[in-house]
């Protein structure tokens, strides 16, 4: 038998794919079509004008089919730098922006510039499972930082976890899986902690376009030396429904871009050209459309919070962007509950064990609900099925 990389072999399998396997051969009760709230992804394609722009590029731009610059097309890097400068009241240069194959690749690249096997990275729990998987594959220890009942981590608690092997703290806001929107003062406290201890602060704002707050969610880019500490990640997948085109962004110091370029060139050479063209077109032409998308997601969030408040025993711990993190009332572990919900009432969601350290008792008590995958009618149907569920 061929050898296996021990770190990779020890890494858990992709949770979303595990949940999809539950659907194999599934026969739901009559009149109960599947409500799939497992994966956070738009269920519709990009708007037609964006698709037409991408199709036109495929037909008329020869370079859309060729290798492009490793760090991304100039027009998209310039658009990101300009938009982030406007949104965060800062000055960000195109040379501080890299375009990646989705935000997951941005995270992988950031970690590879910072840490090696035997090092440590602090992750608040519940964590985004792909972050944990990548650290496990690299032999980097994920140090869990437990959040409070409001799902907001505390910098003071993180300070107690820092060791001489610590290399970074990772925050996701709005959070996946909890939906929590981290206050500006929380992000500032973590940035100051990271700077004082010589660590990187990796801030993943994949869901920034669906933050319920108005204006900039933080002022971290206002520091003239932000690049000494902050590495910022973003995804175009949710905002412009470009999930299949795999376009993300990494914003960091120009000096770190030297190392990022090495990683990206080795992994994929460049991100999808047509995807990048689409993302740049979307940024230039779809501001009003995106505002409408945000309003719809916020309406679904309100419907989710209102509906869950009516369910006896259930408690929402966090709700925002695409997700609700809920404590369930049953004497069942969350994996068992998730599968019973699927087989009995046709609801597919993910158990808390997929987002927390093995053996953590809180994991068995919680589930993640990707409510943004359902419209308000679908959310009402979800609430009705949860109300009717009997273990």
């Amino acid at each position: 038998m061929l050898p296996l990389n021990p770190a990779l072999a020890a890494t858990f399998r992709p949770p979303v794919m595990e949940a999809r396997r539950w659907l194999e051969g599934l026969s739901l009760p009559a009149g109960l079509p599947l409500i799939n709230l497992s994966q956070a992804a738009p269920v519709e394609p990009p708007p037609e004008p964006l698709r037409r722009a991408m199709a036109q590029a495929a037909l008329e731009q020869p370079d859309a089919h060729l290798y492009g610059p490793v760090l991304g097309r100039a027009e998209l890097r310039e658009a990101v730098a300009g938009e982030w400068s406007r949104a965060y009241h800062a000055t960000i240069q195109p040379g501080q922006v890299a375009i990646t194959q989705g935000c997951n690749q941005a995270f992988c690249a950031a970690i590879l510039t910072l840490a090696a096997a035997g090092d440590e990275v602090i992750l608040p729990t519940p964590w985004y499972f792909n972050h944990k998987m990548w650290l496990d594959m690299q032999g980097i220890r994920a140090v869990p930082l437990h959040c409070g009942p409001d799902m907001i981590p505390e910098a003071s608690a993180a300070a107690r976890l820092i060791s001489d092997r610590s290399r970074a703290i990772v925050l996701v806001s709005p959070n996946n899986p909890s939906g929590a929107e981290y206050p500006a003062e929380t992000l500032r406290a973590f940035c100051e902690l990271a700077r004082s201890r010589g660590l990187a602060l990796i801030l993943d704002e994949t869901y920034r376009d669906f933050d319920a707050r108005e204006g900039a969610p933080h002022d971290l880019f206002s520091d003239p030396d932000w690049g000494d500490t902050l590495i910022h990640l973003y995804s175009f997948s949710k905002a412009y429904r470009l999930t299949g085109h795999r376009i993300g962004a990494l914003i960091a110091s120009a000096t770190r871009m030297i190392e990022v370029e090495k990683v990206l060139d080795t992994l994929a050479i460049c991100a999808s050209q047509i995807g990048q063209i689409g993302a740049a077109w979307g940024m230039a032409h779809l501001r009003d459309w995106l505002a409408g998308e945000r309003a719809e997601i916020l309406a679904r969030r309100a419907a989710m919070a209102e509906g869950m408040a009516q369910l006896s025993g259930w408690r929402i711990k966090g709700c925002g962007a695409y997700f609700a993190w809920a404590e369930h009332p049953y004497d069942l572990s969350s994996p068992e509950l998730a599968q019973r919900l699927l087989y009995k009432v046709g609801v597919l969601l993910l158990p808390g064990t997929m987002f927390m350290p093995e053996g953590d008792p809180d994991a068995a008590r919680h589930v993640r609900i990707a409510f943004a995958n359902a419209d308000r009618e679908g959310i009402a149907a979800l609430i009705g099925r949860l109300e009717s569920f009997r273990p």
Side-chain angles (χ1 to χ4, degrees):
M1 183 175 180
L2 293 174
L4 290 173
N5 177 333
L8 181 59
T11 301
F12 55 85
R13 298 178 70 180
V16 169
M17 296 301 102
E18 178 181 341
R20 286 186 183 179
R21 284 190 286 273
W22 298 345
L23 297 174
E24 295 174 2
L26 177 68
S27 179
L28 292 175
L32 287 180
L34 177 68
I35 299 178
N36 190 342
L37 305 178
S38 60
Q39 186 175 25
V43 296
E44 299 292 335
E48 184 174 330
L50 176 54
R51 282 180 278 156
R52 289 188 177 277
M54 295 169 72
Q56 185 176 7
L59 289 170
E60 300 178 3
Q61 289 186 230
D63 72 329
H65 307 282
L66 306 177
Y67 288 141
V70 173
L71 291 176
R73 296 176 69 90
E75 64 267 30
L76 184 52
R77 297 175 75 192
E78 290 167 3
V80 170
E83 174 61 20
W84 264 239
S85 295
R86 182 199 66 79
Y88 294 96
H89 311 292
T91 301
I92 297 167
Q93 302 296 334
Q96 296 169 316
V97 177
I99 304 303
T100 61
Q101 284 199 307
C103 194
N104 271 9
Q105 190 188 68
F107 176 80
C108 296
I111 290 297
L112 286 176
T113 72
L114 292 165
D119 290 336
E120 297 177 352
V121 170
I122 295 172
L123 295 185
T125 59
W127 49 42
Y128 173 44
F129 45 68
N130 283 153
H131 288 173
K132 175 62 161 57
M133 292 173 71
W134 183 249
L135 295 178
D136 287 351
M137 292 177 195
Q138 302 306 308
I140 298 168
R141 179 173 175 250
V143 179
L145 169 62
H146 289 275
C147 294
D150 58 357
M151 308 313 298
I152 305 296
E154 294 184 1
S156 58
R160 295 190 289 271
L161 301 176
I162 295 173
S163 75
D164 59 0
R165 302 301 300 172
S166 299
R167 298 293 178 264
I169 302 169
V170 178
L171 301 179
V172 182
S173 179
N175 188 257
N176 177 5
S178 76
E181 297 170 347
Y182 294 174
E185 56 268 25
T186 295
L187 297 176
R188 168 57 60 187
F190 272 97
C191 190
E192 291 176 356
L193 170 64
R195 178 178 289 117
S196 70
R197 304 294 289 271
L199 308 181
L201 175 63
I202 301 175
L203 177 58
D204 182 336
E205 289 193 289
T206 289
Y207 299 94
R208 67 183 288 274
D209 301 288
F210 309 105
D211 196 306
R213 299 165 292 186
E214 300 297 332
H218 59 81
D219 63 354
L220 303 186
F221 283 114
S222 65
D223 294 343
D225 58 349
W226 63 265
D228 293 344
T229 302
L230 180 63
I231 299 175
H232 185 278
L233 312 181
Y234 176 69
S235 171
F236 294 90
S237 293
K238 311 304 187 293
Y240 302 106
R241 304 181 186 167
L242 291 170
T243 51
H245 294 279
R246 311 309 306 128
I247 302 298
L250 184 156
I251 302 173
S253 69
T255 300
R256 187 163 300 276
M257 284 297 161
I258 296 171
E259 311 308 318
V260 170
E261 186 177 45
K262 298 175 189 177
V263 175
L264 299 183
D265 184 63
T266 303
L267 290 178
I269 300 181
C270 63
S272 158
Q273 297 300 303
I274 291 176
Q276 291 186 72
I277 291 167
W281 193 94
M283 291 186 73
H285 296 94
L286 294 180
R287 188 180 297 274
D288 290 343
W289 177 86
L290 182 54
E293 291 287 284
R294 175 178 179 267
E296 174 60 25
I297 293 298
L298 293 182
R300 295 181 187 190
R301 170 186 177 172
M304 184 67 188
E306 180 181 352
M308 292 297 289
Q310 300 169 13
L311 290 179
S312 176
W314 287 82
R315 186 158 70 102
I316 288 288
K317 307 285 276 296
C319 188
Y322 271 48
F323 308 105
W325 183 253
E327 185 176 12
H328 68 81
Y330 302 108
D331 188 21
L332 298 169
S333 68
S334 57
E336 185 177 3
L337 172 64
Q339 293 186 60
R340 290 198 191 187
L341 284 170
L342 174 61
Y343 302 143
K344 290 195 170 190
V345 295
V347 171
L348 180 61
L349 44 74
L350 297 186
T353 50
M354 292 179 171
F355 304 91
M356 301 188 78
E358 186 174 356
D360 190 316
D362 280 347
R365 301 295 310 158
H366 294 85
V367 296
R368 187 192 78 170
I369 306 172
F371 65 81
N373 290 10
D375 58 18
R376 279 161 280 186
E377 183 178 330
I379 291 171
L382 164 70
I383 300 303
R385 294 196 199 182
L386 292 180
E387 189 170 33
S388 68
F389 173 72
R390 298 295 180 269

